[in-house]
Amino acid sequence: MTDTAKKPILILGGTGKTGRRLADRLTAQGLPVRIGSRSGTPPFDWENDATWAPALDGVGAVYISYYPDLAVPGAAEAVGAFANLTVASGVRRLVLLSGRGETEAQRAEEMLKASGADWTILRCAWFSQNFSESFLLDPLLAGEVALPVGAVGEPFVDADDIADAAVTVLTRQGHVGQLYELTGPRLLSFADAVAEIGKASGRGIRFKRISHAEFTAAVAGYELPAEFAWLLNELFTEVLDGRNEALTDGVERVLGRAPKDFSAYATETAATGIWSD
């Protein structure tokens, strides 16, 4: 156990997919946490740097996840400014949730390193939970997922594995200066993933490949925040081009076990009833 764990760990994005799971795990171990969000105490807002210092007061380490994603323009600069502030405030232990194949995410990584922090980077593939806790849930419930992506393979990684990795690197020695790429154990196309969810949930869910123009029009109809709509277009036009069609051993390196397979995620999640129409 590291000395920093005796002080609260600030979890930015503490109500998000990985942050919420990380907070639950640390709390279960009896470790103090501080949720960094607009509704937190004190509140934290990436767009208002006046909130950053109060949120850092008295903490021993920080888990950094950026909303909506590090791919968004300006994210790298914000992470760099925040990292510089944390180090100047005497908080050196920083863990960054990063994205595979994202140019802006890699810029954020370099800015984190340049801050002089004791850094660890968790560079992650597409979350399995995007099918149950994000924008893909509604299409699944409607029975058709239409995306502008073909047979490209994605090594979907489970948010539980990411949270387990974050707990380990935050509370144990030996992870400073390490970059771990976290993927699941096999490549699936989005059509494969939808088929597995259909099988697990006992429903006939179709996958349909559409053009980028059709997707852009559909996203506009979701009434999503502008930055999130931009992000979806970025991910499906840039990142999902095959650049991430490779598996890594990051989960094994951190946790000493194999990552959770997508079929296990689909089976467990279907059992909650969230995909039942």
Side-chain angles (χ1 to χ4, degrees):
M1 187 64 66
T2 61
D3 290 339
T4 56
K6 298 172 185 174
K7 295 180 179 180
I9 294 174
L10 174 62
I11 304 174
L12 302 185
T15 58
K17 297 182 197 68
T18 63
R20 185 178 74 252
R21 289 170 167 82
L22 173 58
D24 288 346
R25 284 159 169 74
L26 292 172
T27 301
Q29 291 186 22
L31 299 174
V33 301
R34 180 178 298 167
I35 303 301
S37 70
R38 291 175 181 174
S39 58
T41 306
F44 178 91
D45 184 348
W46 278 111
E47 296 180 7
N48 179 6
D49 58 13
T51 65
W52 298 359
L56 283 167
D57 187 39
V59 306
V62 186
Y63 174 77
I64 303 172
S65 65
Y66 187 89
Y67 180 84
D69 191 275
L70 286 178
V72 174
E77 285 75 14
V79 168
F82 177 79
N84 289 335
L85 176 64
T86 59
V87 172
S89 303
V91 182
R92 299 190 60 82
R93 189 71 187 99
L94 304 181
V95 174
L96 176 68
L97 176 69
S98 187
R100 289 182 96 210
E102 296 178 11
T103 303
E104 287 296 297
Q106 266 82 91
R107 284 185 59 230
E109 293 174 8
E110 294 308 312
M111 291 191 177
L112 175 72
K113 295 175 184 178
S115 71
D118 294 332
W119 57 268
T120 306
I121 294 166
L122 302 178
R123 186 189 287 169
C124 299
W126 189 282
F127 297 178
S128 298
Q129 279 72 10
N130 284 336
F131 290 98
S132 51
E133 300 176 24
S134 192
F135 73 102
L136 289 173
L137 177 58
D138 286 344
L140 285 167
L141 291 174
E144 181 177 272
V145 177
L147 295 171
V149 62
V152 62
E154 174 66 27
F156 296 100
V157 64
D158 198 282
D160 287 327
D161 284 345
I162 301 169
D164 286 345
V167 170
T168 298
V169 302
L170 279 163
T171 62
R172 299 189 184 168
Q173 303 282 3
H175 299 287
V176 171
Q178 296 294 315
L179 187 157
Y180 299 107
E181 280 209 31
L182 307 181
T183 71
R186 63 189 170 112
L187 296 169
L188 293 88
S189 68
F190 276 78
D192 294 335
V194 169
E196 292 212 9
I197 290 170
K199 181 180 177 183
S201 61
R203 295 180 54 219
I205 305 172
R206 298 176 302 279
F207 176 84
K208 179 182 179 183
R209 184 176 185 180
I210 58 176
S211 71
H212 289 293
E214 290 171 311
F215 181 65
T216 300
V219 168
Y222 290 153
E223 297 184 0
L224 296 168
E227 68 272 18
F228 198 77
W230 178 92
L231 171 64
L232 292 181
N233 276 310
E234 172 74 7
L235 293 177
F236 281 102
T237 56
E238 294 290 334
V239 180
L240 289 169
D241 61 357
R243 70 183 67 180
N244 290 333
E245 279 189 301
L247 304 177
T248 68
D249 63 353
V251 172
E252 290 95 332
R253 285 171 58 207
V254 179
L255 299 175
R257 62 164 175 80
K260 185 190 287 189
D261 190 78
F262 189 86
S263 61
Y265 155 76
T267 300
E268 292 170 13
T269 305
T272 70
I274 196 167
W275 291 317
S276 300
D277 55 0

